[in-house]
């Protein structure tokens, strides 16, 4: 039996080596066939089975379209940490006074070779020692200097290599090369074109330099970056951290702003201040590490589509072969709505790309059709499972249109109790009241007396003895104690699809600050409000119209809608970015709302404060705040505002 296991393991190792060679070749020639997540999974599996395998010590190879040239400086690959635990394990063996942190660019490596300050060659990474000479193409790229000059305009007498990454910005990819899978593949393909066409759309960002003569024009990592800047090169941002924990916190910040960058990055590179040329010359340096972002995407096969029923809305949920994303195993992901499904071209049996950004619920980002014969269409439900009404598919939503559908009514009652925070009125009791016909609308809740509720708390013997129920009295009092509420809470309690407190607060801030104003609002007016697109605007207006009679009756007879006039943060709005130390972001936003303020997800001209623990960051949110003259405060200052 042991021999059988050995044979199977050996066979798997050979298969992994073959796959890795194939995908490395396609990657380095700009035709990447699989995602980073899939490649990393193959690499890690081989590393576990055969850690000394030669393929793990090699880099890919370039095409044969160009002359070959040896590198001036080493162009090896790096050890990687996929999560904070792995990074802390490396850091425990590499204790530095300072940790130099740079973006790990997701592009194609290139070495510029200079002689006495003049560019003579530009060489791709190749196998780490020899690469393709693409000098003619490189000279067309943004950021490639034909000669090196100091700030005074004098030619710099430098002979050696300068290493960087050829990238394509998101804007260029979107406008010019959207047919390519991603920016990296597009950049790889263009830089190695024989005719050089399109290289003018590429950009080189540099991060390393080395002179074989030993006469380096810098003495540590910080001065190296400064020297490269002084030569006119585009460089990566440099962050100096004092501890491994600070590196982890900075990584979280970068992950927060990652989508706002003009180019792709897939992690951070961590180094020490001292330049260790001996270590850097190794195929896989030991004294630096690539601290990669958590794997955020995976390819798997769609097996079925379930329909989650929430009130009267039917939401499609993809069920697929299990994958791991951000350290968690995932088998289900939202497909949002019928329009999204149709745009993606989802079919049972097709391959799907599943993504999970940060802590957001997984979703299907794209679909890969490989074998149409193995695929079948998704069957949509056509009747309400509760009342039998024909479902309506308006693209953005598949729903039961029957306002009297018992499932819809019960869901709205439960939503009202949750939003208005009537804690003593539990889900079980609401369901019993509904099923017995005691409560059929939100208004009916406020008509309940302790006597009405008593039968739901006492048995027949106690009822016959005409005993009173403290539980019934407590619930009745709790309901009556929740008659006052803000307009945002009032509307959110009606369970209109996609319209929660935050959405209503945006409408209120835009001037629709009374119930009458909201009920008279048009789709066009709602669409003009920040955060509302046409679909959400129509959903809001339709939902308000559908519930208008009950809303007016409730407001006239049972509920008092009050203006937010109390609280330390009334009239102030806040946007949070980056990690908080003393609380979660959701808790901070709840504090703002509890004190009469509002929260925004982005920086706009009417924002009162941007809250971040990295007030000197160059992130787009910080830059916008400075541009608009919005105060940028840290977590401690925010907490003091509440004291």
């Amino acid at each position: 039996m042991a021999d059988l296991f050995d044979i199977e393991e050996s066979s798997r190792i050979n298969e992994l080596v073959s796959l890795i060679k194939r995908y490395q070749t396609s990657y380095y020639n700009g035709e990447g066939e699989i995602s980073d997540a899939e490649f990393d999974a193959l690499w890690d599996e081989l590393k576990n089975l055969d850690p000394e395998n030669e393929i793990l010590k090699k880099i890919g190879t370039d095409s044969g379209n160009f002359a070959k040239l040896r590198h001036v400086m080493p162009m090896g690959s790096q050890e990687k940490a996929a999560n904070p635990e792995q990074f802390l394990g490396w850091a425990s063996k590499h204790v530095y006074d300072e940790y130099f942190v740079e973006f790990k660019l997701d592009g194609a490596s290139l070495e510029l070779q200079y002689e006495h300050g003049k560019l003579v060659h530009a060489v791709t990474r190749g196998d780490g020692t020899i690469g393709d000479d693409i000098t003619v193409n490189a000279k067309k790229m943004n950021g490639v200097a034909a000669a090196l000059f100091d700030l005074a305009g004098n030619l710099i007498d430098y002979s050696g290599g300068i290493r960087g990454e050829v990238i394509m910005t998101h804007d260029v990819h979107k406008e010019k090369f959207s047919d390519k899978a991603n920016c990296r593949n597009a950049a790889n393909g263009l830089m190695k074109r024989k005719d050089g066409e399109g290289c003018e759309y590429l950009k080189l960002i540099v991060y390393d330099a080395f002179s074989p003569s030993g006469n380096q024009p810098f003495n540590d990592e910080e001065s190296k970056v400064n020297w490269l800047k002084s030569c006119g090169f585009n460089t990566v941002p440099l962050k100096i951290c004092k501890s491994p924990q600070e590196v982890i916190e900075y990584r979280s910040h970068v992950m927060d702003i990652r989508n706002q960058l003009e180019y792709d990055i897939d992690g951070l590179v961590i180094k020490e201040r001292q330049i260790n040329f001996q270590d850097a010359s190794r195929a896989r340096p030991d004294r630096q590490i690539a601290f990669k972002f958590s794997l955020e995407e995976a390819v798997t096969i769609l097996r079925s589509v379930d329909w989650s029923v929430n009130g009267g809305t039917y939401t499609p949920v993809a069920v697929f072969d299990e994958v791991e994303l951000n350290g968690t195993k995932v088998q289900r992901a939202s497909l949002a709505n019928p329009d999204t499904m149709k745009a993606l071209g989802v079919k049972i049996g097709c391959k799907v790309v599943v993504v999970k950004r940060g802590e957001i619920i997984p979703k299907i980002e794209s679909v890969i059709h490989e074998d149409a014969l193995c695929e079948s269409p998704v069957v949509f439900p056509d009747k309400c499972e509760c009342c039998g009404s024909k479902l309506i598919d308006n693209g953005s939503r598949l729903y039961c249109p029957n306002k009297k559908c018992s499932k819809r009514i019960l869901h709205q009652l439960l939503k009202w109790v949750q939003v208005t925070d009537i804690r003593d009125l539990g889900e079980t009791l609401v369901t019993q009241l509904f099923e017995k016909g005691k409560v059929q609308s939100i208004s009916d809740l406020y008509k309940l007396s302790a006597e009405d509720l008593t039968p739901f708390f006492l048995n027949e013997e106690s009822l016959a003895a005409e005993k009173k129920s403290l539980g019934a009295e407590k619930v009745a009092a709790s309901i009556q104690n929740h008659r006052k509420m803000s307009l945002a809470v009032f509307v959110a309690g009606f369970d209109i699809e996609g319209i929660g407190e935050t959405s209503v607060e945006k409408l209120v801030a835009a001037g629709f600050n009374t119930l009458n104003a909201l009920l008279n609002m048009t789709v066009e007016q709602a669409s003009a409000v920040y955060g509302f697109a046409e679909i959400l605007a129509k959903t809001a207006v339709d939902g308000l119209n559908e519930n208008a009679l009950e809303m007016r009756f409730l407001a006239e007879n049972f509920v008092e809608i009050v203006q937010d006039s109390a609280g330390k943060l009334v009239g102030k709005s806040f946007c949070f970015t980056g990690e908080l130390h003393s609380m979660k972001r959701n808790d901070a936003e709840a504090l703002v709302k509890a004190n009469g303020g509002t929260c925004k997800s982005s920086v706009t001209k009417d924002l009162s404060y941007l809250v971040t623990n990295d007030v000197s960051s160059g992130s787009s949110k910080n830059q916008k705040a400075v541009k608009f003259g919005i105060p940028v405060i840290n977590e401690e200052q925010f907490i003091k505002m509440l004291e």
Side-chain angles (χ1 to χ4, degrees):
M1 185 65 71
D3 289 341
L4 177 60
F5 286 147
D6 289 342
I7 292 171
E8 289 177 346
E9 183 174 288
S10 177
S11 175
R12 180 55 178 166
I13 289 172
N14 291 335
E15 181 183 10
L16 288 168
V17 169
S18 177
L19 288 171
I20 288 172
K21 284 181 178 179
R22 169 187 166 183
Y23 294 136
Q24 277 185 330
T25 299
S26 64
Y27 174 92
Y28 285 105
N29 287 294
E31 300 170 354
E33 300 174 58
I34 62 174
S35 68
D36 283 355
E38 287 181 286
F39 184 85
D40 284 345
L42 296 174
W43 185 277
D44 290 340
E45 184 181 354
L46 179 59
K47 194 173 182 179
N48 288 331
L49 292 175
D50 187 9
E52 299 302 318
N53 195 290
E54 285 299 311
I55 194 70
L56 298 174
K57 304 172 185 177
K58 295 180 180 179
I59 306 171
T61 55
D62 285 322
S63 67
N65 294 331
F66 297 89
K68 303 298 179 182
L69 204 63
R70 185 173 293 273
H71 299 146
V72 168
M73 61 189 302
M75 294 185 74
S77 58
Q78 294 163 314
E79 286 294 341
K80 70 176 186 295
N83 53 54
E85 291 73 26
Q86 291 179 7
F87 170 70
L88 288 174
W90 174 85
S92 67
K93 302 173 185 177
H94 300 81
V95 181
Y96 305 148
D97 292 333
E98 296 172 311
Y99 293 82
F100 279 58
V101 188
E102 299 172 336
F103 288 174
K104 183 179 181 298
L105 302 168
D106 191 14
S109 293
L110 185 69
E111 180 194 68
L112 303 180
Q113 299 180 358
Y114 289 88
E115 288 182 8
H116 302 294
K118 295 182 179 179
L119 178 65
V120 290
H121 296 292
V123 187
T124 61
R125 187 181 193 182
D127 63 2
T129 303
I130 296 174
D132 286 345
D133 184 354
I134 62 165
T135 309
V136 174
N137 289 356
K139 287 181 176 179
K140 298 179 180 180
M141 299 175 189
N142 175 291
V144 175
L148 305 180
F149 296 95
D150 60 21
L151 297 177
N154 301 313
L155 184 68
I156 300 173
D157 187 15
Y158 172 79
S159 296
I162 292 176
R163 183 177 176 182
E165 203 84 347
V166 177
I167 59 99
M168 176 179 286
T169 64
H170 297 148
D171 287 344
V172 168
H173 180 259
K174 181 179 180 180
E175 295 172 11
K176 303 287 185 181
F177 304 98
S178 58
D179 59 316
K180 299 295 183 182
N182 51 53
C183 295
R184 183 195 64 212
N185 278 14
N188 263 291
L190 289 179
M191 66 186 280
K192 295 172 186 175
R193 283 183 63 114
K194 200 68 174 171
D195 59 9
E197 185 178 343
C199 286
E200 64 271 22
Y201 297 113
L202 303 179
K203 183 176 184 177
L204 179 71
I205 301 176
V206 304
Y207 51 85
D208 207 359
F210 172 76
S211 175
S213 68
N215 183 25
Q216 314 300 336
F218 40 79
N219 51 36
D220 62 21
E221 289 291 344
E222 185 175 23
S223 60
K224 180 201 293 182
V225 172
N226 291 334
W227 179 77
L228 289 168
K229 283 182 181 177
S230 70
C231 292
F233 288 109
N234 302 312
T235 59
V236 290
L238 174 65
K239 172 76 172 179
I240 303 175
C241 297
K242 299 296 184 181
S243 68
Q245 188 58 41
E246 190 176 342
V247 173
I248 292 172
E249 292 171 0
Y250 179 63
R251 173 175 176 266
S252 297
H253 163 69
V254 174
M255 290 180 74
D256 189 38
I257 66 169
R258 180 184 178 191
N259 291 335
Q260 301 166 25
L261 301 176
E262 67 168 357
Y263 49 78
D264 291 329
I265 63 173
D266 57 4
L268 304 172
V269 176
I270 321 298
K271 306 175 182 177
E272 58 186 328
R273 176 178 284 275
Q274 175 187 346
I275 299 175
N276 192 317
F277 292 109
Q278 183 177 355
D279 182 68
S281 66
R282 299 171 58 181
R284 195 170 286 266
D286 173 66
R287 298 191 64 81
Q288 58 180 268
I289 192 169
F291 192 1
K292 300 194 74 173
F293 298 137
S294 301
L295 299 181
E296 295 179 335
E297 67 175 14
V299 177
T300 183
I301 297 176
L302 180 68
R303 298 301 181 185
S304 63
V305 172
D306 290 347
W307 293 87
S308 173
V309 185
N310 189 6
T313 301
Y314 288 67
T315 302
V317 179
V319 182
F320 42 78
D321 292 342
E322 185 179 89
V323 292
E324 187 166 319
L325 294 173
N326 282 1
T328 59
K329 296 186 184 301
V330 178
Q331 273 188 298
R332 299 166 67 87
S334 172
L335 283 165
N337 54 51
D339 270 354
T340 299
M341 289 181 64
K342 292 166 187 172
L344 288 169
V346 171
K347 289 189 175 182
I348 306 301
C350 67
K351 280 190 173 182
V352 292
V353 179
V354 189
V355 299
K356 185 180 182 184
R357 307 299 184 199
E359 297 303 317
I360 300 176
I361 296 171
K363 71 170 186 175
I364 304 298
E365 186 167 81
S366 59
V367 173
I368 304 167
H369 296 288
E370 289 187 343
D371 189 352
L373 296 177
C374 296
E375 298 176 359
S376 57
V378 177
V379 178
F380 281 55
D382 58 354
K383 289 184 179 180
C384 175
E385 63 180 24
C386 181
C387 68
S389 298
K390 183 176 177 59
L391 298 179
I392 292 180
D393 179 359
N394 68 1
S396 64
R397 183 181 170 213
L398 181 67
Y399 66 98
C400 172
N402 180 12
K403 191 176 184 299
K404 296 182 179 180
C405 175
S406 60
K407 198 175 189 75
R408 286 190 61 186
I409 296 171
L410 177 58
H411 195 272
Q412 186 181 64
L413 291 170
L414 293 171
K415 182 74 170 182
W416 178 268
V417 171
Q418 174 200 342
V419 172
T420 57
D421 201 26
I422 310 176
R423 297 185 182 182
D424 295 308
L425 187 56
E427 182 176 340
T428 300
L429 180 55
V430 173
T431 303
Q432 290 174 338
L433 289 165
F434 175 73
E435 290 176 347
K436 293 292 184 180
K438 289 289 185 180
V439 174
Q440 296 296 305
S441 68
I442 295 172
S443 298
D444 287 344
L445 289 172
Y446 292 91
K447 299 174 185 176
L448 291 171
S449 65
E451 289 73 23
D452 295 325
L453 293 164
T454 297
F456 296 90
F457 285 86
L458 300 181
N459 56 31
E460 291 184 6
E461 183 179 342
S462 297
L463 289 171
E466 297 185 351
K467 289 185 177 181
K468 290 186 177 182
S469 168
L470 294 177
E473 292 176 352
K474 184 179 180 182
V475 171
S478 182
I479 294 172
Q480 298 308 315
N481 289 336
H482 288 79
R483 284 176 175 267
K484 289 185 178 182
M485 62 195 67
S486 69
L487 182 57
V489 169
F490 180 86
V491 174
F494 274 82
D495 196 28
I496 300 171
E497 181 72 19
I499 307 300
E501 286 183 63
T502 302
S503 298
V504 183
E505 285 169 355
K506 291 176 180 177
L507 294 171
V508 171
F512 300 97
N513 53 5
T514 66
L515 179 58
N516 195 52
L518 282 174
L519 294 177
N520 289 319
M521 178 179 65
T522 65
V523 174
E524 290 72 21
Q525 289 172 326
S527 297
V529 175
Y530 173 77
F532 276 75
E534 185 176 347
I535 292 175
L536 185 59
K538 188 177 188 309
T539 300
V541 171
D542 288 347
L544 287 164
N545 290 338
E546 183 182 67
N547 291 281
L549 287 176
E550 172 72 358
M551 284 182 169
R552 292 188 190 279
F553 181 76
L554 191 65
E556 290 169 3
N557 296 280
F558 300 106
V559 169
E560 180 184 352
I561 299 175
V562 297
Q563 296 289 334
D564 290 325
S565 57
K568 298 181 176 67
L569 305 181
V570 170
K572 298 181 175 65
S573 57
F574 296 79
C575 175
F576 294 87
T577 183
E579 275 191 319
L580 299 178
H581 302 312
S582 64
M583 67 187 83
K584 293 181 179 180
R585 189 180 297 183
N586 288 344
D587 295 332
E589 291 176 343
L591 278 174
V592 171
K593 293 177 183 178
N595 283 273
T598 58
C599 295
K600 295 179 180 290
S601 59
S602 60
V603 176
T604 56
K605 290 182 179 180
D606 58 346
L607 182 70
S608 302
Y609 296 96
L610 175 66
V611 184
T612 174
N613 282 321
D614 191 0
V615 295
S616 61
S617 165
S619 71
S620 63
K621 285 184 179 178
N622 285 48
Q623 290 175 358
K624 280 187 178 179
V626 173
K627 178 181 177 182
F628 297 147
I630 296 167
V632 180
I633 61 174
N634 59 28
E635 183 178 350
E636 184 180 355
Q637 291 170 306
F638 165 69
I639 293 173
K640 283 184 178 179
M641 295 177 73
L642 299 171
E643 294 174 353

